[in-house]
Amino acid sequence: MSKSAVGDRGTDGRVAGRGSIPVFLYHTVMDDPPAWIAEFTVTPGQFAAHLDAVVDSGRTPVTISAVADHLAGRTPLPPRPVLLTFDDGFADLPGPTAEALAARGLCATVYLTTGAITPGGRSLLPPAPMMTLDRAAELERSGMEIGSHTVTHAQLDTLSVKALAYELRTSKAMLEDTLGHPVPHLAYPHGYNSPRVRAMAARLGYETATAVRHALSSDRDERYRIARLIVRRSHTVADVEGWLAGSGARIAPYRDGPKTIAWRWYRRGRAAVRGPEFAG
């Protein structure tokens, strides 16, 4: 029996591959990205190879709503699911990226930063080619589910209660007005969250929220801290194949470590002096 068939042991000692859910986090697909996002960009050729690996893995593509239904006990997930997600709303999404997914029959979930894609909007994202909010419905027609990625892309766990509520409530309302239906899913910018942020997300009507954690999710993951695997340009097809096999990363849920907690407090102190900062 192959190693991938029986599963590997993650860094926390649990057996990988059993109940694991790879949730991939992409940002943009382009050959010549701005320097600030280059590390989190894949080329069209890399992206095509990743999607082919997803198809060849035999996993069933799902959107975040399917994961939400499972975690809420409403509907079970299909065997061996996989979830593809995209953050921010870069210009390639409604064009070549959507086409590459559709050509393989793959669905996805897109988390949009409304301030960055609204003409005249305010965002902390540095300059980059972005889609516009009026194309969100086009993404849905191509098989993508839309979620919120806040208004400005700030570090949510450093904000005041008022500023946090603004980021979560306003982005949700803008997307719902644009699409004409509820938008119950959220992605924390750069994964930054805390118990207070998660509680606010639940209180404002979100059913799920995805973090980063660079870990495999699972069928027992936390609804308001779903783990994702952040895809960097340096990752190879072998990395992707390993994640699809349920290996090569820790499996959520697990508690934050001391370094994560210390980094959060450091950023809070810095934000108290400088004001809200870009999560990136």
Side-chain angles (χ1 to χ4, degrees):
M1 183 177 292
S2 69
K3 185 177 182 181
S4 62
V6 298
D8 300 330
R9 290 198 176 272
T11 57
D12 59 353
R14 292 169 51 197
V15 177
R18 296 179 182 174
S20 63
I21 304 173
V23 183
F24 291 85
L25 165 53
Y26 289 95
H27 286 84
T28 182
V29 181
M30 65 174 80
D31 284 311
D32 189 23
W36 70 271
I37 196 64
E39 179 185 0
F40 304 111
T41 299
V42 295
T43 66
Q46 286 177 302
F47 188 57
H50 293 184
L51 297 187
D52 289 341
V54 171
V55 173
D56 292 342
S57 73
R59 283 189 175 267
T60 302
V62 298
T63 62
I64 191 62
S65 283
V67 177
D69 287 342
H70 170 76
L71 294 177
R74 293 188 292 263
T75 308
L77 281 166
R80 306 187 70 240
V82 60
L83 177 57
L84 304 175
T85 72
F86 298 81
D87 280 7
D88 300 328
F90 290 91
D92 59 278
L93 269 172
T97 297
E99 292 166 6
L101 290 162
R104 296 164 176 82
L106 298 174
C107 59
T109 299
V110 177
Y111 296 102
L112 298 176
T113 306
T114 55
I117 64 173
T118 302
R122 184 178 67 88
S123 167
L124 296 172
L125 284 171
M130 305 300 290
M131 62 174 277
T132 51
L133 183 59
D134 59 3
R135 301 194 73 180
E138 183 181 333
L139 294 180
E140 288 193 324
R141 289 192 294 271
S142 72
M144 298 187 187
E145 184 172 22
I146 305 298
S148 164
H149 200 42
T150 76
V151 179
T152 70
H153 207 280
Q155 298 179 17
L156 297 182
D157 57 347
T158 68
L159 300 181
S160 68
V161 171
K162 181 179 178 180
L164 174 61
Y166 167 80
E167 291 282 351
L168 301 185
R169 183 184 289 120
T170 305
S171 58
K172 189 176 192 294
M174 289 182 68
L175 292 169
E176 290 176 343
D177 287 346
T178 297
L179 299 170
H181 62 71
V183 175
H185 305 296
L186 168 71
Y188 307 119
H190 208 66
Y192 288 142
N193 69 95
S194 66
R196 181 171 65 93
V197 173
R198 297 193 292 272
M200 178 74 79
R203 188 158 60 248
L204 293 181
Y206 288 101
E207 291 185 7
T208 70
T210 53
V212 179
R213 317 200 87 185
H214 197 64
L216 290 155
S217 183
S218 73
D219 51 11
R220 300 185 298 105
D221 208 350
E222 302 168 75
R223 274 203 296 162
Y224 293 99
R225 189 162 55 165
I226 296 169
R228 293 191 289 173
L229 296 152
I230 189 165
V231 182
R232 290 176 162 84
R233 176 164 286 196
S234 58
H235 285 130
T236 66
V237 174
D239 292 322
V240 172
E241 291 172 339
W243 298 333
L244 289 165
S247 64
R250 195 174 185 177
I251 306 174
Y254 54 86
R255 294 180 179 179
D256 286 338
K259 289 183 178 179
T260 298
I261 296 170
W263 176 235
R264 182 182 303 140
W265 281 105
Y266 169 77
R267 289 183 294 100
R268 283 179 180 171
R270 189 173 61 187
V273 175
R274 301 180 181 177
E277 294 186 305
F278 168 57

